[in-house]
């Protein structure tokens, strides 16, 4: 369901409807778990009027929360039916909103701390990346492979490749192999290698024409990009190993 | 070893891991760690303009905070500070990671595509696969750059979530866990960091006693 012409506007000073609502709760000095819903709803709607009178468009999210507030207000106006035997008493209509506000408030509470840290950290300066990086390569943390190292590995292979290549004057039949096809092929290879991983070099069957080599490399990059495959280099300058990222091993790099 | 260590820290433009330092120095990690702390203390004692930090999971040299103004007169900072929306989003990602955009938006109550894009561009968050639910939404996590941006060593140093009250500060300066670093020379200039250090000592002491 798409709402046409959702305004892309951000209401000044508020990060969103929850922020505005928390602001009203704070200003009124009321308990978040016992929000006087009628008053707060009126004030919320009044704020929306203010936005409107300032000729500001109101983002859809604000309207949505307004509707929620009005719904809660109307449910609270209805007399509570006495709970029938064996039936749970009806939940406070505000409960869900309160839970959302509390969670939002939780994260907001840390923003101030993070802001202080940001400020402290900005007072510190670090040396930039090492100069003349062609002379040396910094170690890769935790066995990750960098694009540069993949490039070096390709370069090594390319220097060994082309052994079987015909002179350029030869007529080369048009090859119909696509990257997609190659991806399927090497993914099978990598997955077959399982937990031990497949050495980068073993992706290629040498000697082979450069065309194949580049195609294989492109296919591998594409698999890396799609997160179907993961590259690791356990030792510096060592072999780059490729692992299949199947559904049961969604390795998430928290950092 | 300490001089050699200083060399390694000087050439690296990023935090160095203990394992990498140990390999380069051909020494045991435990000895390297002792050397790191000694160097940290020496830098502070001799009133060096540099300090040794534990940051983003590694060790790195930085300038001391009290010289920030001097440096700022020569270098101008490029990157802008995070906006409030950016900060809020980052906080939610940090605590709830890996998190998808819809989950994030449910917490914030507003669409967050633009903010996520900015944070991705600044490499404070990264894509980390997809959630195996309807639509396979992209999962986001924080990056080592995130830790570096806030001057912390790992995610466990993030403030404990509580709805009210301030939260303790992180180890922004030297690891003050061993008290010998609190020399009399840095009392006056970095009051903020001194407060930070005291806090850390308390926290560490508390966790130690718990462990026993």
């Amino acid at each position: 369901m798409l709402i046409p012409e959702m305004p892309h506007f951000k209401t000044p000073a508020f990060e969103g409807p929850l922020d505005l609502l928390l602001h009203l709760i704070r200003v009124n000095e009321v308990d978040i778990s016992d929000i006087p819903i009628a008053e707060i709803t009126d004030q919320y709607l009044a704020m929306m009027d203010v936005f409107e009178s300032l000729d500001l468009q109101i983002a859809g999210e604000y309207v949505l929360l307004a509707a929620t507030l009005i719904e809660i207000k109307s449910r609270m106006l209805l007399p509570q039916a006495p709970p029938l035997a064996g039936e749970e008493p009806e939940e406070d209509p505000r409960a869900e909103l309160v839970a959302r506000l509390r969670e939002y408030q939780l994260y907001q509470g840390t923003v101030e701390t993070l802001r202080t840290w940001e400020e402290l950290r900005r007072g510190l300066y670090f040396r930039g990346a090492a100069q003349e990086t062609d002379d040396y390569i910094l170690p890769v943390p935790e066995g990750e492979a960098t694009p540069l190292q993949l490039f070096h590995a390709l370069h090594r292979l390319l220097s060994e490749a082309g052994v079987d290549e015909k002179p350029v004057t030869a007529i080369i039949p048009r090859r119909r192999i696509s990257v997609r096809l190659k991806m399927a092929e090497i993914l099978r290879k990598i997955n077959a290698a399982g937990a031990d991983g497949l050495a980068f070099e073993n992706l290629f069957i040498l000697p082979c024409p450069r065309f194949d080599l580049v195609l294989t490399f492109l296919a591998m990059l594409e698999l890396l990009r799609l997160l179907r495959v993961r590259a690791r280099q356990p030792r510096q300058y060592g072999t780059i190993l490729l692992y299949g990222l199947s559904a049961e091993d969604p390795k998430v790099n928290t950092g | 070893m300490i001089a050699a260590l200083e060399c390694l820290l000087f050439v690296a433009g990023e935090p160095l891991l203990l394992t990498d330092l140990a390999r380069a120095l051909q020494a045991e990690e435990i000895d390297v760690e002792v050397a790191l702390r000694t160097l940290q203390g020496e830098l502070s004692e001799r009133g060096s303009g540099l300090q040794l930090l534990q940051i983003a999971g590694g060790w790195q040299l930085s300038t001391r905070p009290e010289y920030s103004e001097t440096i700022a007169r020569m270098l101008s900072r490029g990157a802008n500070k995070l906006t409030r929306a950016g900060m809020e989003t980052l906080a939610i990602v940090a605590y709830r990671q890996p998190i998808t955009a819809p989950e994030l938006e449910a917490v914030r109550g507003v669409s967050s595509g633009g903010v996520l894009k900015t944070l991705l561009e600044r490499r404070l968050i990264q894509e980390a696969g997809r959630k195996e639910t309807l639509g396979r939404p992209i999962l986001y996590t924080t990056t080592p750059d995130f830790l570096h941006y806030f001057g912390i060593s790992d995610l466990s140093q993030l403030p404990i979530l509580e709805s009210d009250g301030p939260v303790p500060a992180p180890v922004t300066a030297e690891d003050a866990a061993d008290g010998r670093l609190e020399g009399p020379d840095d009392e006056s200039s970095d009051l903020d960091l001194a407060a930070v250090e005291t806090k850390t000592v308390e926290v560490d002491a508390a966790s130690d006693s718990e462990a026993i």
Side-chain angles (χ1 to χ4, degrees):
Chain A
M1 179 197 67
L2 272 174
I3 302 156
E5 284 181 61
M6 174 84 84
H8 286 292
F9 143 80
K10 210 176 76 181
T11 312
F14 296 107
E15 284 306 330
L18 291 177
D19 197 24
L20 170 57
L21 194 55
L22 274 180
H23 168 78
L24 293 176
I25 289 167
R26 223 172 292 134
V27 168
N28 285 282
E29 293 177 3
V30 291
D31 186 357
I32 193 167
S33 55
D34 190 23
I35 305 168
I37 211 82
E39 285 118 84
I40 295 288
T41 304
D42 289 347
Q43 289 181 19
Y44 185 94
L45 294 174
M47 282 300 276
M48 283 181 58
D49 283 343
V50 170
F51 295 157
E52 227 161 40
S53 68
L54 291 171
D55 212 15
L56 299 171
Q57 277 189 304
I58 294 164
E61 294 99 351
Y62 285 88
V63 183
L64 183 67
L65 187 65
T68 310
L69 284 172
I70 293 166
E71 195 232 330
I72 294 171
K73 183 178 159 187
S74 58
R75 274 169 65 193
M76 289 190 71
L77 285 174
L78 291 175
Q80 277 264 28
L84 298 171
E87 209 174 77
E88 293 280 316
E90 214 173 306
E91 206 190 333
D92 188 331
R94 298 171 295 183
E96 199 192 318
L97 182 64
V98 169
R100 278 187 68 194
L101 279 173
R102 273 194 195 286
E103 190 183 8
Y104 182 70
Q105 202 182 29
L106 216 55
Y107 299 117
Q108 270 211 332
T110 65
V111 165
E112 203 181 316
T113 311
L114 290 178
R115 191 61 89 190
T116 318
W117 293 1
E118 180 189 44
E119 196 53 46
L120 285 173
R121 161 62 187 73
R122 284 172 72 89
L124 309 179
Y125 292 75
F126 296 84
R127 248 175 69 85
Q131 310 284 310
E132 299 155 57
T133 36
D134 280 352
D135 291 353
Y136 42 81
I137 301 162
L138 286 169
V140 183
E142 296 164 0
E144 297 287 330
T146 65
L148 187 68
Q149 280 158 322
L150 286 173
F151 171 75
H152 284 313
L154 174 70
H155 209 74
R156 231 177 13 245
L157 274 168
L158 276 175
S159 62
E160 296 163 16
V163 182
D164 243 8
E165 227 166 341
K166 304 225 169 71
V168 278
T169 48
I171 296 158
I172 301 165
R174 196 182 161 84
R175 306 283 303 261
R176 303 296 289 180
I177 301 175
S178 67
V179 173
R180 182 175 295 274
L181 223 65
K182 203 72 184 172
M183 277 167 65
E185 183 195 321
I186 66 175
L187 189 61
R188 257 200 314 279
K189 258 190 180 176
I190 292 169
N191 280 336
D196 295 336
L198 181 73
F200 174 78
E201 282 83 1
N202 292 347
L203 275 183
F204 309 88
I205 304 148
L206 289 174
C208 73
R210 286 181 180 227
F211 175 82
D212 271 2
L213 216 140
V214 173
L215 194 70
T216 309
F217 190 70
L218 280 178
M220 186 210 61
L221 286 183
E222 186 65 9
L223 286 171
L224 281 173
R225 190 183 71 84
L226 295 172
L227 298 169
R228 303 290 298 276
V229 162
R230 186 178 179 80
R232 289 181 161 269
Q233 189 172 35
R235 276 181 310 105
Q236 206 176 349
Y237 311 121
T239 310
I240 294 171
L241 293 174
L242 300 165
Y243 301 88
L245 274 184
S246 44
E248 67 268 18
D249 180 29
K251 247 210 171 86
V252 166
N253 187 9
T254 51
Chain B
M1 170 141 82
I2 289 166
L5 192 61
E6 211 171 358
C7 293
L8 294 176
L9 292 162
F10 171 76
V11 290
E14 54 188 66
L16 287 176
L17 299 177
L18 194 56
T19 48
D20 291 326
L21 288 169
R23 197 189 312 122
L25 293 165
Q26 295 179 314
E28 295 294 320
E29 283 185 22
I30 179 98
D31 298 329
V32 176
E33 194 163 355
V34 170
L36 280 163
R37 294 195 186 281
T38 313
L39 176 61
Q40 202 173 45
E42 280 180 5
L43 286 171
S44 151
E45 271 160 39
R46 84 163 109 109
S48 167
L50 299 177
Q51 60 181 357
L52 181 51
L53 292 182
Q54 246 182 308
I55 191 168
W59 293 81
Q60 192 174 12
L61 288 172
S62 88
T63 60
R64 292 190 67 86
E66 52 266 44
Y67 301 107
S68 64
E69 280 178 34
T70 314
I71 300 164
R73 262 179 259 132
M74 190 161 101
L75 306 172
S76 49
R77 277 230 179 258
N80 294 322
K81 285 193 198 177
L82 288 173
T83 59
R84 212 175 126 215
M87 214 38 129
E88 191 181 291
T89 306
L90 205 49
I92 297 168
V93 174
Y95 285 97
R96 292 271 306 264
Q97 59 184 307
I99 187 173
T100 66
E103 287 163 352
L104 173 76
E105 285 165 9
V107 177
R108 291 192 67 218
V110 283
S111 61
S112 306
V115 193
L116 282 174
K117 191 163 162 277
T118 313
L119 295 176
L120 279 168
E121 278 167 6
R122 294 187 68 168
R123 300 184 53 176
L124 295 170
I125 60 169
Q126 62 191 358
E127 293 182 5
R130 286 170 179 277
K131 189 166 185 166
E132 295 302 328
T133 54
L134 191 68
R136 302 188 71 236
I138 295 171
L139 288 164
Y140 296 97
T141 60
T142 55
T143 61
D145 283 10
F146 163 82
L147 299 174
H148 207 282
Y149 188 81
F150 292 107
I152 56 175
S153 189
D154 59 72
L155 289 171
S156 68
Q157 288 177 316
L158 285 174
I160 296 156
L161 285 180
E162 43 190 348
S163 37
D164 20 52
V167 262
V171 195
T172 317
E174 287 105 345
D175 188 75
D178 44 1
R180 73 200 145 108
L181 294 178
E182 289 172 0
D185 51 333
D186 33 49
E187 267 176 20
S188 52
S189 39
D190 53 3
L191 268 178
D192 280 350
L193 288 175
V196 167
E197 290 178 1
T198 329
K199 268 276 178 11
T200 318
V201 175
E202 284 165 14
V203 170
D204 277 10
S207 56
D208 280 352
S209 56
E210 261 176 42
I212 299 160

